[in-house]
Amino acid sequence: MPKLSIVVPCYNEQEAIPLFYPAVEQVVKQMPVETEYWFVNDGSNDDTLAELRKLHEQDPERVHYVSFSRNFGKEAGLYAGLQAATGDYIVVMDVDLQDPPEYLPEMYKDISTGKYDCVGMRRTDRKGEAKFKSFLSNQFYNVINKISDTKIVSGARDYRMMTRQMVDAVLSLTEYNRFSKGIFNWVGFKTKYLPYKNVERVAGTTDWSTWKLFKYAIDGITDFSEAPLALATWAGGLTAFISIIGIIVVLIRKMLEPASSAFGWASMVCIILFLGGIQLLCLGIVGRYIGKIYMQTKKRPIYIIKEKK
């Protein structure tokens, strides 16, 4: 019988864990698979680890957990869970039940045919989410799909079921700065997306603020596109061109009106501020990429395990 590994990253989810496990169990017991759970405690500062210990004690053969020494981020938790999973098929789920378990049988049915290497879920709406956050999310997909060769399906979740072959390919990418939505698409393999309506959290509050999502989006863009570097190059070239035109205009005006003081100190200050701003922008973009190179060359581990059962 095929084995299904369920990977669940957790951060401050003490309220959701007791609800998640029975909800998923009710579904997977009806599926023709063996199951194992791999919960990853990402340095939570509540009783998440205590809840995971309770689950492990209830079913030590099937329920396992990995606990980090500190918070390393969801990407590290996802990577650790995929490394620990031993199943023929691996599914990634959020513990807050925003990834509906009732779709698991359909996902398994599609992937077990051998036609697909991955079956993912795609939200068709963002009901219950702040309009500004939804707007930024939509714009992120529009931007990254225009400037990157790696296309990301709008509304796609990390909630997906993958074959062992695809998971091994994902794990072969050992980069420190990880953006899983992009990695899942970059490795290739045939993927099918199932649409579903947005589901609100069953318990607790999200740790993903608008600012954190914005930083995550910037990481995704810089991880899978060199367009910002090209933008810096074009901005520098355009600024230089405008400066040359400005110099020519000043010289012509000086020749036509010798008594003129050209544009005066105000225009000079504006030009200096403009050029300075462009330079800082370009340095910031280049610095972002250099920072990623710096972190990668340190070869630090993506995560550190404190406890594993």
Side-chain angles (χ1 to χ4, degrees):
M1 185 179 291
K3 187 175 184 180
L4 175 66
S5 297
I6 302 172
V7 174
V8 192
C10 304
Y11 179 68
N12 292 344
E13 297 287 2
Q14 64 177 19
E15 298 175 14
I17 292 171
L19 301 175
F20 171 86
Y21 180 69
V24 176
E25 274 291 279
Q26 186 177 0
V27 175
V28 297
K29 282 183 176 180
Q30 303 173 17
M31 297 170 59
V33 293
E34 296 179 14
T35 56
E36 69 170 5
Y37 292 83
W38 279 101
F39 292 90
V40 182
N41 175 37
D42 185 21
S44 301
N45 48 36
D46 63 356
D47 289 330
T48 292
L49 181 55
E51 292 295 333
L52 295 181
R53 286 171 177 161
K54 290 179 184 178
L55 282 183
H56 175 69
E57 290 173 1
Q58 292 174 19
D59 192 350
E61 295 297 323
R62 297 171 56 245
V63 179
H64 310 277
Y65 65 86
V66 174
S67 185
F68 291 167
S69 60
R70 66 169 177 83
N71 177 245
F72 285 89
K74 183 179 179 180
E75 291 293 342
L78 182 56
Y79 186 69
L82 293 179
Q83 280 191 317
T86 61
D88 303 295
Y89 301 102
I90 297 90
V91 63
V92 178
M93 301 182 70
D94 281 348
V95 74
D96 56 18
L97 290 178
Q98 283 192 293
D99 298 335
E102 55 265 30
Y103 286 98
L104 288 172
E106 185 176 356
M107 296 168 76
Y108 177 72
K109 180 181 178 181
D110 286 336
I111 202 170
S112 61
T113 62
K115 294 181 180 179
Y116 305 100
D117 302 287
C118 174
V119 178
M121 300 301 298
R122 178 180 63 85
R123 289 191 298 187
T124 56
D125 64 36
R126 293 181 176 275
K127 185 178 179 181
E129 191 175 89
K131 291 184 178 180
F132 181 63
K133 185 182 289 188
S134 298
F135 170 77
L136 291 179
S137 180
N138 291 330
Q139 293 309 306
F140 163 73
Y141 286 112
N142 291 335
V143 170
I144 197 167
N145 285 328
K146 287 180 180 178
I147 65 177
S148 174
D149 293 331
T150 302
K151 304 304 178 185
I152 301 177
V153 176
S154 179
R157 299 273 296 175
D158 288 334
Y159 183 24
R160 61 190 64 216
M161 189 178 293
M162 298 171 283
T163 61
R164 167 52 57 184
Q165 184 183 19
M166 180 172 173
V167 169
D168 288 342
V170 170
L171 293 175
S172 69
L173 277 64
T174 57
E175 54 205 63
Y176 184 82
N177 298 284
R178 305 184 67 81
F179 182 71
S180 290
K181 281 187 175 68
I183 291 175
F184 289 145
N185 287 275
W186 186 91
V187 296
F189 297 97
K190 194 169 183 179
T191 301
K192 176 182 180 179
Y193 285 96
L194 303 176
Y196 78 105
K197 293 185 180 297
N198 188 48
V199 178
E200 295 189 24
R201 291 178 60 92
V202 68
T205 56
T206 180
D207 186 58
W208 286 93
S209 63
T210 301
W211 175 243
K212 284 187 177 180
L213 287 172
F214 177 75
K215 292 199 307 183
Y216 187 59
I218 295 299
D219 284 337
I221 290 172
T222 53
D223 280 353
F224 286 90
S225 175
E226 296 179 357
L229 289 174
L231 175 64
T233 301
W234 281 102
L238 179 63
T239 303
F241 177 74
I242 293 174
S243 300
I244 292 172
I245 297 299
I247 292 172
I248 293 174
V249 170
V250 170
L251 291 175
I252 292 175
R253 182 175 177 182
K254 190 67 176 177
M255 287 186 291
L256 296 177
E257 301 178 33
S260 172
S261 59
F263 294 103
W265 68 270
S267 59
M268 184 61 67
V269 169
C270 290
I271 292 172
I272 292 173
L273 290 175
F274 175 70
L275 293 175
I278 293 294
Q279 289 173 339
L280 290 175
L281 172 65
C282 295
L283 282 174
I285 292 174
V286 174
R288 185 81 182 182
Y289 283 89
I290 292 176
K292 288 182 176 291
I293 296 171
Y294 173 65
M295 293 303 297
Q296 187 68 32
T297 55
K298 282 186 171 185
K299 296 183 178 179
R300 289 179 176 174
I302 297 174
Y303 58 87
I304 297 174
I305 295 177
K306 182 178 181 181
E307 183 177 339
K308 184 177 180 179
K309 293 288 186 178

